[in-house]
Amino acid sequence: MAFCFTSVLEISLQYVQNQFHLPSSFHLLSLLIMLTFALLFVAKFISLKFPVASQVLEKLVVLMAVTTVFYTIAIPFPLSLKCATWAVYVASMLTVVILNSF
């Protein structure tokens, strides 16, 4: 949750300080952070009645948080480094999927 709160505050402060419209990449970043926080919120409060669904949502929260971090890191990069960043992301995800299938 600290990640979500910190990111949201920084984005909001950046918007207020600059007084201009942020690029669409920041809007998508805000959406990703909001979805991560919403999934975390729901997962925590349904855990007593729906423990399996809560565990699935918590795993989805981790996926959303990792995706958000990779997306955030890639925003200022030139296209070649963005592609490299997403290649690392895809390789990481494939590694997790393959190793968890055994």
Side-chain angles (χ1 to χ4, degrees):
M1 282 207 288
F3 165 75
C4 293
F5 281 130
T6 304
S7 300
V8 169
L9 287 173
E10 288 178 11
I11 290 170
S12 296
L13 288 174
Q14 182 71 23
Y15 181 78
V16 170
Q17 288 173 353
N18 290 327
Q19 293 297 317
F20 64 89
H21 294 293
L22 294 173
S24 59
S25 58
F26 280 92
H27 296 289
L28 181 56
L29 175 60
S30 297
L31 180 64
L32 287 171
I33 293 168
M34 185 213 40
L35 288 173
T36 302
F37 186 76
L39 289 174
L40 180 62
F41 176 76
V42 171
K44 291 299 177 188
F45 284 99
I46 69 167
S47 62
L48 292 177
K49 286 192 174 187
F50 305 100
V52 175
S54 175
Q55 290 174 352
V56 170
L57 281 177
E58 286 178 359
K59 290 180 181 182
L60 192 57
V61 165
V62 171
L63 175 65
M64 291 293 296
V66 169
T67 302
T68 303
V69 168
F70 272 87
Y71 182 78
T72 305
I73 290 169
I75 286 174
F77 288 167
L79 183 59
S80 60
L81 288 177
K82 283 183 184 187
C83 291
T85 301
W86 289 110
V88 170
Y89 174 81
V90 169
S92 299
M93 297 307 275
L94 287 174
T95 303
V96 168
V97 169
I98 290 168
L99 293 179
N100 278 327
S101 65
F102 291 116

